[in-house]
Amino acid sequence: MKRYGMLIDGQWVPARSGETREIRDPADGALLAKVPEAGRVDAEAAVDAARAAFDAGPWRKLTAQDRGKLLFRVGEGIRAHAKRLAELETRNCGKPLAEAAFDVADAADCFEFYGGLATKIHGETMQVPANSLSYVVREPVGVCGQIIPWNYPLLMAAWKLSPALAAGNTAVLKPSELTPLTALELGRIICEAGIPAGVVNIVTGPGAGPGEALAASPQVDKVAFTGGTVTGRKVMTAASGNLKKISLELGGKNPNIVFADADLECAVDGALFGAFANQGEVCSAGSRLLVERSIHARLVEGMLKKIPRIKLGHGLEPGVKMGPLVSAAHRDKVESYIEIGVNEGAKLLCGGKRPKGRAFAKGHFLEPAIFDRVKPSMRIAREEIFGPVLAVIPFDSEDEAVSIANDTEYGLAAAVWTKDVTRAVRVISRLRAGITWVNTYHPTFNELPWGGYKASGMGRELGLYGIEEYLETKQVNINLDENPIGWY
Ligand code: NAD
């Protein structure tokens, strides 16, 4: 068991209250660490440190090239500790080690992507109807409050910190209270890379208190939030106090649409991976499987044949494809949806039960569930469950598929499976979602913008679009006339 401090102004400190939180392995309940349980005052101290580092520290004087080099060093640091970080991620949030290892490499890539981008931030010169040299410069927004969830703890920290730092901002990151460990390890790597004190602060604790303080603080210029839609609304309301800039990455109820001409084997794989990767605890999970009726039976049969290959267990065990859910409370919530689905009249084809046996006794395991005969009006087809529960909905025509797909408050991700490229392009253009795939599900690239339509959020992360969220735009007008304006 390790005791962590949190990172404020370059120091590893306890909570002012002295309170700590136990962090446990969701697969077996083992005590992994104790971390400070921050309150509002701790978040405020971290904001003060970020404010001072932005307003008066050495950070603003660094060249973009130097900032870029520091980010590359962070990327290197992540790679140097990749194995340990992946194991820690698996222990803290439950995901299989292969998935955690992928996330760790992706986090390093993200720091490197934005390290390269630091030197490509530029403005432009404008012709204006006056004797003026007029140009536009891009500047950092200032102090960024960054609040992240528990499903991709290290990767979400990388998605938040790397563009903010590339653009020259300072930050206070608040990881989920359930999964702070890899973010704290990242803090250590950031300090070792030589990023000055106060530029990155990491506050561990719940949403109530420190999370709310970050969203509301008048000292914070921008809040970047990833989490549930209900929380996103609260963050947006709190952020309105000083009209801070805001970006929100929220939930989804994403349609994965399979047409009859799709390669069935690929579609079966894509349907399972889309729904059950990371225990289904993915904002972009393909949790609604829309299937053309003529292949419905074959697709379902194909999935049921493969479901036993999704081996449950501790994510560190070889061959495990699905770990536990993140917490007992979250498993209770997912189980309540299994009951809701059954009561609504959907047919539970498999899973939805706690696996039996000693290996599972102390963990929050749940067998992957597939519901058939789901109607688009049912709650299991409308509400984000955020667990291993797939709702299969048959359709008869392309128009019907599009209409069901778009009939949701969300608009994060969507996919289409077909061999007809014209249809693929046509259907994708009709889907109201920010992240789309054809004949695949889930690949995510640091180069491409990530974010949703409608209640799935606002703004975009990643790629060139992601850094825009961390930049202000300033116009500069240099008068080249030498005479007084003579207005009066
Ligand atoms: P959550 O909304 O409960 O918590 C997210 C973060 O917000 C946590 O750090 C939490 O402590 C903090 N928080 C809670 N209440 C707060 C408040 N009032 N003010 C400020 N901060 C507060 O979400 P979760 O359960 O951690 O994560 C699951 C959700 O995240 C799902 O809805 C999922 O779809 C979403 N998510 C979205 C994306 C995306 O990119 N769109 C990625 C991952 C997860």
Side-chain angles (χ1 to χ4, degrees):
M1 199 276 297
K2 196 167 167 179
R3 278 176 198 279
Y4 284 87
M6 58 187 161
L7 181 60
I8 298 180
D9 206 10
Q11 305 293 317
W12 294 95
V13 297
R16 297 254 170 109
S17 66
E19 275 181 49
T20 58
R21 176 186 288 256
E22 291 185 345
I23 304 297
R24 292 184 179 272
D25 185 331
D28 57 16
L31 181 61
L32 300 174
K34 285 190 181 173
V35 301
E37 180 79 336
R40 199 170 268 276
V41 286
D42 302 291
E44 282 162 2
V47 169
D48 288 346
R51 187 78 260 166
F54 186 80
D55 292 339
W59 178 240
R60 289 296 305 286
K61 299 201 180 93
L62 288 189
T63 62
Q65 198 181 20
D66 286 339
R67 286 203 308 273
K69 283 180 184 162
L70 288 171
L71 293 189
F72 272 100
R73 246 186 254 163
V74 175
E76 267 168 41
I78 293 173
R79 290 189 201 290
H81 296 283
K83 189 168 176 289
R84 198 169 56 81
L85 286 170
E87 286 173 5
L88 190 61
E89 195 79 312
T90 288
R91 282 190 198 283
N92 195 173
C93 70
K95 67 179 72 195
L97 186 61
E99 293 188 30
F102 189 88
D103 294 353
V104 171
D106 209 11
D109 286 345
C110 190
F111 274 96
E112 288 162 1
F113 177 82
Y114 281 108
L117 205 55
T119 51
K120 281 96 195 163
I121 298 165
H122 61 85
E124 52 190 339
T125 318
M126 301 295 195
Q127 300 296 328
V128 296
N131 190 14
S132 166
L133 170 59
S134 293
Y135 58 93
V136 174
V137 287
R138 311 304 307 279
E139 295 182 342
V141 168
V143 174
C144 303
Q146 304 185 310
I147 302 170
I148 56 174
W150 45 258
N151 59 340
Y152 288 88
L154 181 70
L155 192 59
M156 290 297 108
W159 284 20
K160 291 281 179 285
L161 287 173
S162 56
L165 298 177
N169 299 282
T170 62
V172 179
L173 177 78
K174 195 198 83 60
S176 165
E177 57 273 33
L178 299 176
T179 56
L181 301 185
T182 48
L184 291 170
E185 293 291 340
L186 176 63
R188 208 169 289 284
I189 290 168
I190 284 171
C191 293
E192 282 165 13
I195 291 183
V199 172
V200 173
N201 305 274
I202 301 175
V203 170
T204 51
E212 291 166 346
L214 283 184
S217 169
Q219 299 292 328
V220 172
D221 300 295
K222 181 210 159 69
V223 63
F225 171 80
T226 299
T229 295
V230 172
T231 318
R233 283 199 184 95
K234 290 185 195 161
V235 168
M236 194 170 174
T237 306
S240 70
N242 66 331
L243 292 170
K244 56 174 71 68
K245 306 256 170 301
I246 182 162
S247 48
L248 301 171
E249 298 292 342
L250 308 175
K253 190 74 187 179
N254 311 290
N256 192 6
I257 309 173
V258 185
F259 287 100
D261 68 341
D263 181 312
L264 198 71
E265 207 184 324
C266 293
V268 165
D269 273 2
L272 293 174
F273 187 65
F276 299 132
N278 207 55
Q279 299 77 239
E281 296 168 328
V282 188
C283 52
S284 53
S287 50
R288 288 188 294 152
L289 185 66
L290 278 49
V291 191
E292 193 157 0
R293 203 176 299 276
S294 60
I295 57 153
H296 168 239
R298 281 192 296 144
L299 189 77
V300 166
E301 187 192 343
M303 289 195 297
L304 289 177
K305 235 187 225 163
K306 275 205 162 169
I307 273 272
R309 292 200 203 170
I310 303 179
K311 184 180 169 197
L312 265 74
H314 195 296
L316 293 181
E317 275 172 36
V320 161
K321 297 285 184 195
M322 185 179 280
L325 299 187
V326 74
S327 67
H330 186 54
R331 180 173 64 177
D332 288 348
K333 178 190 149 187
V334 176
E335 283 178 326
S336 77
Y337 274 102
I338 303 287
E339 207 179 313
I340 288 168
V342 170
N343 291 339
E344 283 179 314
K347 186 172 179 201
L348 183 61
L349 295 179
C350 66
K353 292 189 289 292
R354 299 182 182 193
K356 295 204 163 57
R358 272 187 48 207
F360 303 112
K362 291 185 183 160
H364 316 307
F365 293 93
L366 193 68
E367 292 171 356
I370 300 179
F371 274 109
D372 199 6
R373 296 193 205 149
V374 177
K375 295 205 176 75
S377 58
M378 291 178 177
R379 284 182 64 192
I380 57 165
R382 307 198 73 77
E383 297 173 20
E384 186 185 44
I385 300 173
F386 215 61
V389 182
L390 176 62
V392 181
I393 307 173
F395 67 84
D396 291 302
S397 70
E398 187 178 305
D399 279 347
E400 192 194 359
V402 170
S403 150
I404 296 171
N406 285 336
D407 180 20
T408 164
E409 64 171 312
Y410 296 110
L412 189 59
V416 171
W417 298 77
T418 175
K419 283 185 188 146
D420 178 346
V421 69
T422 315
R423 163 143 64 190
V425 173
R426 187 172 61 231
V427 173
I428 289 286
S429 74
R430 296 176 69 192
L431 294 174
R432 305 267 301 143
I435 303 150
T436 62
W437 296 287
V438 175
N439 295 335
T440 186
Y441 207 98
H442 270 332
T444 308
F445 304 100
N446 288 310
E447 292 74 11
L448 298 182
W450 180 273
Y453 286 25
K454 302 195 271 181
S456 288
M458 56 174 62
R460 291 292 180 270
E461 294 195 287
L462 299 182
L464 303 182
Y465 297 83
I467 203 158
E468 289 292 321
E469 306 282 338
Y470 290 97
L471 290 168
E472 279 286 15
T473 304
K474 178 184 277 176
Q475 57 165 288
V476 184
N477 298 284
I478 303 178
N479 177 26
L480 301 177
D481 271 345
E482 293 184 12
N483 299 321
I485 58 168
W487 191 267
Y488 300 110

